[in-house]
Amino acid sequence: HLGLPEPCFVTLYGLVRLNVCMSGSATSCEECLLIHPSCAWCAQEDFGQARTLNSRCDFSQNLQKRGCDAPFIENPRSGSSLLRSKPLSSKGSGVTQYDVIQIYPQKISLSLRPGDQTSFEVQVRPVEDYPVDLYYLMDLSLSMKDDLDTIRNLGTKLAEEMRKLTSNFRLGFGSFVDKNISPFSYTAPKYQDNPCNGYKLFPNCVPTFGFRHLLSLTDKVDRFNEEVQKQMVSRNRDAPEGGFDAILQAAVCKEKIGWRKEAYHLLVFATDDVPHLALDGKLGGLVHPHDGQCHLNDKNEYSAANKMDYPSLALLGEKLAENNIFLIFAVTKRHYVLYKNLTALIPGTTVEILDQDSKNIIQLIVNAYNNIRSKVELSIWDHPEDLSLAFTATCQDGQPLTGLRKCADVKIGDTVSFNITVDARGCPPKGTRKSFTIRPVGFKDRLEVSVDYRCDCSCTYYTKTNSSRCNSAGTYSCGMCRCEPGYLGARCECEEGEVDHQHLSACREAEGKQVCSGRGECSCNQCLCYESEFGKIYGTFCECDDFSCARHKGILCSGHGECHCGECKCHAGYIGDNCNCSTETASCVSDDGKICSGRGSCVCGRCQCTEPGAFGDTCEKCPTCPDACGTKRECIECRLFNTGRLADNQTCQRMCKDEIITVETLKTDDSNTVQCVYKTENDCVMKFTYSEHANGQSVLTALKEPECAVAPNAMTVLLAVVGSILLMGIVLLALWKLVITIHDRREFARFQSARSRARYEMASNPVYKQSIPSHPMETVFHMHSIKSCNGGVH
């Protein structure tokens, strides 16, 4: 059993938790049990207080608190019991092979109460050396001729390989082609005896047939070889084959095939093409669906091939599972994907790639067998619709896998387990018993599960009509009376005619008010108050209760008082209409010993900060307060430099809990921080910032070391002064030189301009005419005179 469900409450507007058992208004034990699996019924006769209509349906622990003795509480639980539990076997063959057990337990019984889950464990162990029956079903259409030649000695070689895996091996053989009707086969008269008539590549073959059982399962493998060597191929018209007809007959004709109960059943299906499926038969006029029965005649041939449609995948999967048969598809590579998809639709099947001439058939069968033996998967048979099952597999690694009912890579002899949780969703008619079966796919072993429903109360077996407990006017059952028509009251003590206006007035608090304040019934001149999921209703006129008081944050009387007839009676240390105001001040004392850090007042056990900018549980945070830097300065001093008033370690740790971050350079551009500066004892300047994060934490960011002034060096000052004078002199000299140069250049330019004008005047005088000398010597003298005037050397 998984354990009792938690008591169920329903939240209303986030304030009130309703008791689901009492809110269900159950009037009988059976109704109570259906409300919730946690609900219980009190069958005690004198249960409850006087003048109260007690709800007998409640949680078991509540009923006991209210005075119901445990033997009278009806609270059936779900559970399971073992009926057959033989231990798991370790070896399959030998003298005890018929007693081989591969599943534990083998039979159990479940008792289920709706909504109350129960669980049980199933263990599966594939045993070593378990007997194997292998039936080889071969496609003998014309395209498989080369494959037939290859397997003529298959029996001997296959038996040698399989005996490495099991000492008890049997082999059988069958073949198939397709339905011998149009359009699946050639039906013209000339093809009746030889459908290969006129086919040049292979002119002779046997008539078309659906399925032919050729050799029953036997340990004489030579007979397999002999039977295969007798076979000849046939021919059909379309590409798909009628193999699914053959698979179904091989599965359901158990006696003729020779399947043993105590063996693994392997059915090898070898083909090189796709199969016909259900509804394909309508092309040939076959409208009757397959009936899933065996139809082998005296010649071991399928007699209904031309009467019924091909089987559906669902029918095929059902019959294979019903007879514990593992189907191995041995198909060519080009059809591998199609058959791989079919394995997902047919449980217990696997697919392997067959070479074009079937050379790899032996290794294919061995690989498929090992693959099958390495998987354990549970299947459910006859599953009742009103039961839900949940699986958790625990495979070789010991890790639980929720939602899985299959284990892979299981070694022979390994034990895997499955935890199965069962839950009933309702109650069937009384006396109903159901059952279902759990089987590992392909195993003959099974677990039988029988189910009975715990929807009845044991106290109903003691029901008595016209009981004296009910004044002989009602039926007594499970602690209460069901009155006959015309009688009223908890014990049927009043008749309907007695209840008139005069008697009802005794149940009114005042004229005009409701009978029993609308919260009870007037029975025999007195109020019987209803029970409420909210609490207790009481008083002469049901006018009082213990739940209609003031609340704080949805909690009645703040959890610090008791509700008495609509008024909170506060516990010591609390005051107020809803008892939410504490008179204690200890929670308002800050780390410095002051009430609310001196920045507020303590009201109802909580600080109300009056200083602008102050906040925190004890108003200890206040970045904008005038003393903010001064308070935090003391923490900087004691935490970073172990100086100041709080230098004592214990005091510093107690009062300075803020985070302090040290930096080389302090950023001052953040508008959300307070900039603080103070002068140290060494005339240095210490800078830090103070900020409050959104999470309420105070953060101090400080320089690693205070900033201190440094005295100037005399030589440095002297050199600076001399250098400045020299630099100034050089600059003045440069300026003077620049002025002189500019002045000289201007004077020289003025001189050049005057000179140019003088030359122009001499050259362009219109009055001047040069003399012509009469003697050469005069010409020489004249030239000499001109040079002298132009500044030449005299």
Side-chain angles (χ1 to χ4, degrees):
H1 178 60
L2 294 178
L4 297 179
E6 291 295 326
C8 184
F9 294 92
V10 179
T11 301
L12 180 64
Y13 304 117
L15 300 177
V16 182
R17 301 213 307 168
L18 304 182
N19 183 323
V20 70
C21 300
M22 297 177 64
S23 63
S25 301
T27 59
S28 67
C29 183
E30 287 77 9
E31 290 180 5
C32 177
L33 299 185
L34 288 174
I35 293 175
H36 191 270
S38 294
C39 296
W41 178 270
C42 179
Q44 186 172 319
E45 181 181 359
D46 58 350
F47 171 68
Q49 301 174 355
R51 305 189 64 179
T52 303
L53 289 173
N54 291 285
S55 175
R56 294 178 176 270
C57 186
D58 201 347
F59 302 122
S60 179
Q61 60 269 33
N62 290 352
L63 291 175
Q64 293 187 51
K65 290 178 182 178
R66 292 164 52 197
C68 187
D69 296 335
F72 294 97
I73 294 178
E74 296 282 345
N75 190 22
R77 311 308 322 160
S78 296
S80 62
S81 58
L82 298 178
L83 301 181
R84 187 165 63 247
S85 56
K86 295 180 180 180
L88 293 169
S89 304
S90 57
K91 193 173 178 64
S93 296
V95 294
T96 62
Q97 73 178 63
Y98 296 104
D99 296 325
V100 172
I101 304 297
Q102 297 183 96
I103 189 170
Y104 175 90
Q106 296 83 46
K107 189 173 184 179
I108 65 171
S109 175
L110 300 179
S111 296
L112 298 178
R113 175 179 172 182
D116 186 23
Q117 298 177 345
T118 190
S119 64
F120 58 92
E121 186 176 89
V122 177
Q123 295 180 344
V124 180
R125 179 191 295 166
V127 299
E128 181 184 359
D129 196 22
Y130 198 71
V132 176
D133 288 346
L134 189 150
Y135 192 80
Y136 193 87
L137 186 58
M138 184 174 182
D139 178 4
L140 284 187
S141 59
L142 189 59
S143 58
M144 291 287 285
K145 182 181 182 304
D146 55 345
D147 301 79
L148 180 61
D149 296 336
T150 302
I151 70 163
R152 293 193 185 278
N153 295 315
L154 173 66
T156 304
K157 297 177 182 178
L158 180 59
E160 291 176 358
E161 290 297 325
M162 290 301 295
R163 287 197 176 105
K164 295 177 183 179
L165 304 174
T166 175
S167 61
N168 194 334
F169 175 69
R170 299 199 310 168
L171 189 61
F173 182 60
S175 61
F176 66 91
V177 182
D178 206 345
K179 297 181 183 295
N180 192 17
I181 59 174
S182 181
F184 312 119
S185 300
Y186 294 96
T187 57
K190 67 176 182 177
Y191 296 120
Q192 288 299 310
D193 296 328
N194 180 15
C196 296
N197 188 2
Y199 187 63
K200 295 181 180 180
L201 295 177
F202 196 80
N204 296 306
C205 58
V206 299
T208 305
F209 59 92
F211 165 65
R212 187 174 292 158
H213 170 52
L214 300 170
L215 177 66
S216 298
L217 291 162
T218 178
D219 55 2
K220 297 179 176 59
V221 295
D222 291 339
R223 289 192 57 195
F224 180 90
N225 297 338
E226 294 172 2
E227 199 62 46
V228 171
Q229 291 172 4
K230 296 178 186 178
Q231 303 308 309
M232 292 181 62
V233 294
S234 183
R235 186 186 184 197
N236 62 326
R237 193 169 196 169
D238 60 349
E241 318 290 6
F244 279 10
D245 269 341
I247 292 175
L248 187 71
Q249 294 303 300
V252 299
C253 299
K254 296 180 287 187
E255 291 76 14
K256 292 198 173 186
I257 302 297
W259 297 113
R260 292 176 293 177
K261 183 178 180 181
E262 306 293 333
Y264 276 113
H265 302 159
L266 304 183
L267 178 57
V268 179
F269 178 80
T271 184
D272 64 348
D273 222 316
V274 299
H276 275 298
L277 301 175
L279 301 181
D280 286 356
K282 289 189 174 183
L283 296 173
L286 304 179
V287 296
H288 295 289
H290 205 291
D291 60 4
Q293 302 299 315
C294 178
H295 294 281
L296 292 185
N297 58 22
D298 295 338
K299 296 180 181 180
N300 284 334
E301 293 184 351
Y302 179 37
S303 59
N306 299 340
K307 299 177 182 179
M308 290 187 295
D309 193 5
Y310 299 96
S312 65
L313 292 177
L315 180 61
L316 205 61
E318 177 186 339
K319 295 303 177 182
L320 289 171
E322 188 177 294
N323 296 282
N324 306 317
I325 295 174
F326 287 108
L327 177 61
I328 302 172
F329 288 124
V331 300
T332 52
K333 187 174 183 180
R334 69 191 182 103
H335 297 304
Y336 175 81
V337 174
L338 169 67
Y339 284 92
K340 182 68 175 177
N341 293 335
L342 293 179
T343 62
L345 303 174
I346 307 175
T349 59
T350 185
V351 60
E352 298 288 342
I353 296 178
L354 180 69
D355 289 346
Q356 290 294 337
D357 55 1
S358 297
K359 286 183 179 179
N360 68 329
I361 187 64
I362 293 178
Q363 190 59 45
L364 180 152
I365 293 174
V366 172
N367 291 343
Y369 174 75
N370 290 329
N371 186 27
I372 290 170
R373 291 298 312 265
S374 68
K375 297 178 182 178
V376 174
E377 181 177 3
L378 298 185
S379 61
I380 311 299
W381 292 77
D382 304 320
H383 181 189
E385 294 182 357
D386 60 343
L387 296 184
S388 62
L389 277 66
F391 293 81
T392 299
T394 303
C395 303
Q396 307 90 294
D397 58 1
Q399 297 297 321
L401 303 172
T402 304
L404 293 183
R405 52 179 174 179
K406 178 172 66 176
C407 285
D409 300 325
V410 179
K411 296 180 181 179
I412 303 300
D414 283 351
T415 302
V416 294
S417 63
F418 301 88
N419 185 276
I420 304 173
T421 301
V422 187
D423 186 11
R425 292 190 289 267
C427 283
K430 287 188 177 182
T432 300
R433 289 182 64 88
K434 297 185 179 181
S435 63
F436 61 94
T437 303
I438 298 176
R439 293 166 53 180
V441 175
F443 288 59
K444 60 93 182 177
D445 304 76
R446 68 184 64 194
L447 167 61
E448 298 175 5
V449 183
S450 60
V451 181
D452 70 275
Y453 297 80
R454 307 202 66 180
C455 298
D456 299 328
C457 299
S458 59
C459 60
T460 57
Y461 299 123
Y462 305 101
T463 298
K464 187 176 181 180
T465 58
N466 297 321
S467 171
S468 59
R469 296 173 178 174
C470 303
N471 291 293
S472 300
T475 299
Y476 182 81
S477 177
C478 295
M480 61 184 298
C481 289
R482 295 196 185 111
C483 300
E484 298 291 340
Y487 290 88
L488 302 171
R491 292 289 177 259
C492 308
E493 67 271 24
C494 298
E495 294 187 39
E496 285 186 356
E498 297 177 358
V499 182
D500 54 18
H501 178 76
Q502 181 179 355
H503 290 84
L504 287 177
S505 62
C507 297
R508 300 179 193 272
E509 187 175 6
E511 188 66 29
K513 290 198 173 183
Q514 289 181 300
V515 174
C516 299
S517 304
R519 303 198 293 180
E521 293 181 1
C522 185
S523 178
C524 303
N525 302 325
Q526 63 178 357
C527 286
L528 298 179
C529 302
Y530 297 134
E531 283 211 356
S532 171
E533 61 269 26
F534 299 106
K536 177 184 175 183
I537 300 175
Y538 60 96
T540 305
F541 305 101
C542 305
E543 72 278 11
C544 292
D545 61 58
D546 61 359
F547 54 83
S548 296
C549 290
R551 299 172 182 269
H552 179 66
K553 294 184 178 179
I555 302 175
L556 189 67
C557 297
S558 306
H560 303 304
E562 305 293 336
C563 182
H564 291 284
C565 206
E567 183 180 352
C568 285
K569 303 296 183 183
C570 301
H571 297 157
Y574 291 90
I575 58 175
D577 293 340
N578 54 13
C579 304
N580 70 320
C581 188
S582 173
T583 59
E584 294 290 329
T585 60
S587 58
C588 296
V589 179
S590 57
D591 291 337
D592 58 3
K594 298 178 181 179
I595 297 293
C596 299
S597 304
R599 297 170 179 154
S601 57
C602 187
V603 178
C604 295
R606 300 185 64 181
C607 282
Q608 291 187 355
C609 304
T610 55
E611 182 78 25
F615 62 97
D617 292 339
T618 58
C619 305
E620 73 280 8
K621 304 178 185 300
C622 187
T624 60
C625 290
D627 61 341
C629 288
T631 303
K632 301 303 179 183
R633 166 188 171 175
E634 295 178 342
C635 292
I636 293 290
E637 290 177 337
C638 76
R639 289 274 295 277
L640 295 184
F641 308 112
N642 197 27
T643 60
R645 185 176 64 87
L646 305 179
D648 174 61
N649 187 52
Q650 292 184 352
T651 305
C652 185
Q653 294 297 326
R654 178 174 57 82
M655 299 189 63
C656 299
K657 299 177 182 178
D658 299 333
E659 180 184 2
I660 299 179
I661 302 173
T662 56
V663 295
E664 295 288 348
T665 304
L666 196 65
K667 295 181 179 179
T668 59
D669 56 351
D670 190 351
S671 60
N672 295 322
T673 61
V674 178
Q675 314 294 329
C676 298
V677 180
Y678 70 90
K679 194 172 184 179
T680 66
E681 298 174 351
N682 300 326
D683 291 332
C684 296
V685 175
M686 184 61 186
K687 299 179 180 179
F688 67 92
T689 61
Y690 168 36
S691 62
E692 295 286 346
H693 280 191
N695 59 7
Q697 184 182 17
S698 300
V699 178
L700 305 177
T701 304
L703 293 174
K704 287 186 177 180
E705 297 292 339
E707 296 178 348
C708 299
V710 180
N713 186 282
M715 181 58 70
T716 303
V717 173
L718 178 61
L719 291 176
V721 172
V722 172
S724 299
I725 294 173
L726 290 175
L727 180 61
M728 188 177 294
I730 292 171
V731 170
L732 291 174
L733 287 173
L735 290 174
W736 177 79
K737 180 63 177 176
L738 178 62
V739 170
I740 293 301
T741 300
I742 293 172
H743 178 269
D744 288 348
R745 286 182 178 179
R746 287 178 177 175
E747 290 298 321
F748 180 73
R750 190 178 295 113
F751 168 75
Q752 289 289 352
S753 177
R755 181 180 179 185
S756 297
R757 285 195 303 269
R759 287 180 179 177
Y760 172 78
E761 292 173 355
M762 181 181 295
S764 60
N765 189 349
V767 184
Y768 173 76
K769 185 176 180 182
Q770 185 176 0
S771 62
I772 301 174
S774 61
H775 191 272
M777 288 300 294
E778 291 180 355
T779 303
V780 173
F781 175 78
H782 176 74
M783 294 295 297
H784 180 73
S785 298
I786 293 173
K787 290 181 180 180
S788 297
C789 292
N790 290 329
V793 179
H794 295 277

